[in-house]
Amino acid sequence: MSDRGGVIGGLVAKPFRNLGIAVGFVLLVAACAMVGYMQAGWSFGDALYMVTLTIFTVGYGEVRPIDTDYLHAVTMATMVFGCTGVIIVTGSLVQALTQSQLEQFFGKRVERDIDRLDGHIIICGFGRIGLMLAGELASVGETFVIVERDEGRCQEARELGYLCRHADATDEDVLRTLHVERAKVLATVLPDDAANVFITLSARSLNPKIEIIARGERPTTERKLMQAGADRVVMPAHIGAERIAEMILYPRLAHFLRGSEPKGDGTDEGLAKLGLDLRVITAPPNLGARKATVRELERRSGAVLVVRIERADGTVIESPSPNELIRTGDALAVVSKSGSLSLDGLAD
């Protein structure tokens, strides 16, 4: 959906509330004016008739002579505030009547855009992670659709120019309307583990070939998501803790890996596109006694590449040679295939 849809949606927001306020203002002005005329000795019927004629600027004539300064003031105030109120009521009424037409138009437009989707990405949830994910995908021109059950967040997504449907992703029928059978990737990033598991199950049953990336909050959920059909599981809390630990334990390596700026130098993103991870590991205690080399670690720990070593004494070794010994407590910057890193093979 384009930015124009979001802007117009913002302009017509809550028109019925505006209409109610405007009508209330006109009624208040009318009531005050009627009290003013009745204070001058007019009957209720004459006051009501005069106020109606004045506010709606009909001008049939005065029901009684306006021959005192007091009546002049009441009449002029009624004209100014009453006519202004009627103008506001008219504008709010037009706005309210137009909103339904706009919503119908843009609703149909969203449906047409969704029906044309093919080879797209489905994002389930537009919270903090969903917002960042959508921004990254939009920056590289990927086609995606968001499904969000919170109306406010859905409106926020539309105002950012994203294609978004206000619905519950745990409903299989919703996934069908998003053409999950034609999608290439589904990312379920809700903060609810149970919902992510259910969405993963549903998506896998509807499209056995789709790649599913799921968010997990608790460590015990990772296994459930994989069993449900997720190809990869991302645990934001775990990743964040790893990054903080790197900064505390190995500040120089952390700077080398991530850079000093919040977004780093793009190394992580570039490697991720190739299915690789760049991370810091600590050499296990048994390596020092066994005098393991970089070659042995790379051969036995799941096809990794050691690109940098930081000794416990602070010495840094760039691009270590295959025969470089690894000592207990060394911090190793390694590149590995995503999810394949394991040091279990060095424990024997």
Side-chain angles (χ1 to χ4, degrees):
M1 188 173 184
S2 67
D3 291 334
R4 181 177 58 181
V7 171
I8 293 179
L11 291 175
V12 299
K14 302 180 180 178
F16 289 102
R17 186 188 68 175
N18 297 337
L19 178 61
I21 293 174
V23 171
F25 176 76
V26 172
L27 292 176
L28 178 62
V29 171
C32 292
M34 289 177 62
V35 171
Y37 283 121
M38 293 173 68
Q39 288 291 326
W42 290 31
S43 66
F44 176 82
D46 287 345
L48 176 61
Y49 187 72
M50 184 64 184
V51 169
T52 304
L53 291 178
T54 304
I55 287 178
F56 289 97
T57 64
V58 177
Y60 280 123
E62 301 167 356
V63 295
R64 290 194 181 189
I66 309 296
D67 53 5
T68 66
D69 292 340
Y70 172 77
L71 288 174
H72 288 163
V74 171
T75 304
M76 287 190 295
T78 304
M79 289 178 183
V80 173
F81 293 106
C83 292
T84 301
V86 169
I87 292 172
I88 296 174
V89 168
T90 304
S92 299
L93 182 60
V94 172
Q95 188 182 38
L97 294 176
T98 304
Q99 182 193 26
S100 60
Q101 299 298 323
L102 288 171
E103 288 180 342
Q104 184 178 9
F105 171 77
F106 286 108
K108 289 181 179 179
R109 183 175 178 178
V110 168
E111 293 303 319
R112 289 197 301 269
D113 289 343
I114 291 177
D115 285 340
R116 288 197 293 262
L117 291 174
D118 190 12
H120 56 291
I121 299 168
I122 299 174
I123 302 175
C124 301
F126 194 69
R128 175 175 54 86
I129 295 178
L131 172 63
M132 297 173 65
L133 174 58
E136 292 293 333
L137 295 177
S139 68
V140 296
E142 281 285 356
T143 302
F144 62 91
V145 60
I146 301 165
V147 54
E148 170 58 53
R149 57 188 171 191
D150 182 88
E151 187 174 359
R153 290 178 177 175
C154 190
Q155 181 62 30
E156 179 185 353
R158 290 170 178 167
E159 290 176 357
L160 290 171
Y162 303 148
L163 189 63
C164 182
R165 166 162 289 171
H166 178 216
D168 188 349
T170 59
D171 187 344
E172 284 192 7
D173 291 335
V174 171
L175 295 180
R176 289 191 181 95
T177 61
L178 298 177
H179 302 293
V180 67
E181 74 282 356
R182 302 201 303 250
K184 64 178 180 180
V185 179
L186 180 140
T188 175
V189 292
L190 296 170
D192 184 343
D193 283 352
N196 288 331
V197 170
F198 191 84
I199 293 170
T200 300
L201 280 168
S202 300
R204 181 58 69 202
S205 65
L206 295 172
N207 184 352
K209 297 181 179 180
I210 192 172
E211 181 181 2
I212 300 176
I213 303 172
R215 170 186 177 180
E217 291 296 317
R218 296 185 298 272
T220 55
T221 307
E222 183 175 6
R223 178 177 55 84
K224 297 176 183 177
L225 286 166
M226 298 299 290
Q227 290 175 345
D231 295 287
R232 284 182 282 178
V233 177
V234 177
M235 308 189 72
H238 179 69
I239 293 173
E242 280 190 343
R243 297 292 185 266
I244 294 172
E246 289 175 5
M247 294 176 187
I248 295 173
L249 298 175
Y250 318 111
R252 283 188 291 180
L253 271 182
H255 178 80
F256 166 73
L257 294 178
R258 319 295 172 195
S260 58
E261 297 299 324
K263 290 183 68 67
D265 58 2
T267 303
D268 280 351
E269 291 81 355
L271 289 173
K273 292 178 182 179
L274 300 175
L276 301 174
D277 284 334
L278 177 61
R279 56 185 296 189
V280 176
I281 62 173
T282 303
N286 65 310
L287 285 184
R290 298 178 58 250
K291 295 184 178 180
T293 62
V294 169
R295 179 187 289 108
E296 182 180 2
L297 185 143
E298 291 177 344
R299 180 174 59 85
R300 304 186 61 184
S301 60
V304 304
L305 175 66
V306 179
V307 296
R308 187 178 171 110
I309 298 176
E310 182 177 332
R311 302 289 192 195
D313 61 6
T315 303
V316 175
I317 303 174
E318 303 277 3
S319 303
S321 68
N323 296 322
E324 187 72 44
L325 289 176
I326 298 175
R327 303 171 186 172
T328 299
D330 283 352
L332 313 174
V334 300
V335 176
S336 67
K337 186 176 180 181
S338 297
S340 68
L341 180 60
S342 173
L343 298 181
D344 295 340
L346 295 173
D348 50 10

